[in-house]
């Protein structure tokens, strides 16, 4: 649930345990979650840095959760500011280089080789699509025809139009035609 904000699974588990209540110590959290004390201690430090945890004033200090509505909003605002800073830096970098030194139209074709590299690059392209994704569909494929194409499905779920031009041999594979018809 909190991984998109940058929290690990252990950090999220610790935070949820703290929210459920109880006087937790580092040791008891480690025992409860089946994690070593050093990992719990490091996770608590990150949670504190992210604004999800504070410490009690007693001795020994115990971790206390910050209410979710405060912690999540604060971290989301922090991430937005970081993204704004990245965009500003990108704009400044682009302004430092003349248009003539940038990629020319004849250099815009990217050749990707290897099944894994093709799958990764296609996923990146599909995730970045905002309006329409156009595909030239021709075997051999990086995954079995019967497997769900998660990148395309996610794009469709976001409202992206996906259009494909299929090579005739694409429909010779078992199940390919049926899969294409389901996408209509």
């Amino acid at each position: 649930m909190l991984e998109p904000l940058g929290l690990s699974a252990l950090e999220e588990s610790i935070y949820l345990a703290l929210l459920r209540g109880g006087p937790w110590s580092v040791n008891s959290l480690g025992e409860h979650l089946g994690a070593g004390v050093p990992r719990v201690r490091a996770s608590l430090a990150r949670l504190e840095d992210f604004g999800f945890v504070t410490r009690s004033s007693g001795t020994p200090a115990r971790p206390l959760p910050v209410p979710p509505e405060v912690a999540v909003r604060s971290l989301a605002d922090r991430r937005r500011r970081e993204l704004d800073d990245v965009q500003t830096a990108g704009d400044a970098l682009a302004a430092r280089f003349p248009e003539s030194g940038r990629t020319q139209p004849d250099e815009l074709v990217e050749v990707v080789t290897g099944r894994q590299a093709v799958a990764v690059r296609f996923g990146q392209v599909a995730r970045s699509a905002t309006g329409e994704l156009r595909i030239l569909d021709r075997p051999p494929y990086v995954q079995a025809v019967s497997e769900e194409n998660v990148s395309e499905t996610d794009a469709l779920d976001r409202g992206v139009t996906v259009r494909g031009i299929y090579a005739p041999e694409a429909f010779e594979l078992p199940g390919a035609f049926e899969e294409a018809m389901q996408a209509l």
Side-chain angles (χ1 to χ4, degrees):
M1 180 183 345
L2 299 174
E3 285 183 34
L5 291 173
L7 272 65
S8 71
L10 178 59
E11 291 161 355
E12 182 173 333
S13 295
I14 290 170
Y15 182 62
L16 294 176
L18 292 172
L19 285 174
R20 286 186 196 101
W24 292 102
S25 67
V26 174
N27 290 340
S28 62
L29 278 169
E31 289 173 17
H32 176 71
L33 298 171
V37 170
R39 285 186 60 216
V40 171
R41 206 178 297 283
S43 294
L44 283 167
R46 280 193 44 145
L47 285 166
E48 191 171 351
D49 182 50
F50 287 158
F52 281 74
V53 171
T54 61
R55 297 177 197 205
S56 68
S57 58
T59 303
R62 294 190 179 275
L64 300 172
V66 172
E69 63 274 13
V70 174
V72 172
R73 182 173 306 278
S74 175
L75 185 55
D77 288 345
R78 178 175 162 184
R79 293 288 188 249
R80 277 191 282 277
R81 286 189 304 274
E82 290 170 353
L83 288 173
D84 287 344
D85 292 347
V86 168
Q87 183 65 52
T88 301
D91 292 344
L93 186 60
R96 289 180 52 195
F97 292 94
E99 190 75 33
S100 62
R102 297 185 189 166
T103 304
Q104 300 303 311
D106 61 337
E107 299 171 342
L108 291 178
V109 174
E110 178 182 5
V111 178
V112 181
T113 56
R115 287 179 174 253
Q116 183 63 30
V118 169
V120 167
R121 187 65 179 122
F122 180 77
Q124 292 169 337
V125 169
R127 281 189 300 279
S128 68
T130 57
E132 185 175 53
L133 178 62
R134 297 180 186 182
I135 301 168
L136 297 174
D137 189 295
R138 181 173 187 264
Y141 299 116
V142 297
Q143 67 183 41
V145 175
S146 60
E147 291 179 35
E148 179 185 9
N149 189 324
V150 176
S151 299
E152 284 183 33
T153 304
D154 289 347
L156 289 166
D157 289 345
R158 290 191 327 270
V160 174
T161 300
V162 179
R163 297 177 188 223
I165 298 175
Y166 294 87
E169 61 268 24
F171 297 115
E172 294 171 5
L173 297 169
F177 183 75
E178 292 77 11
E179 287 288 322
M181 290 296 102
Q182 287 180 359
L184 292 178

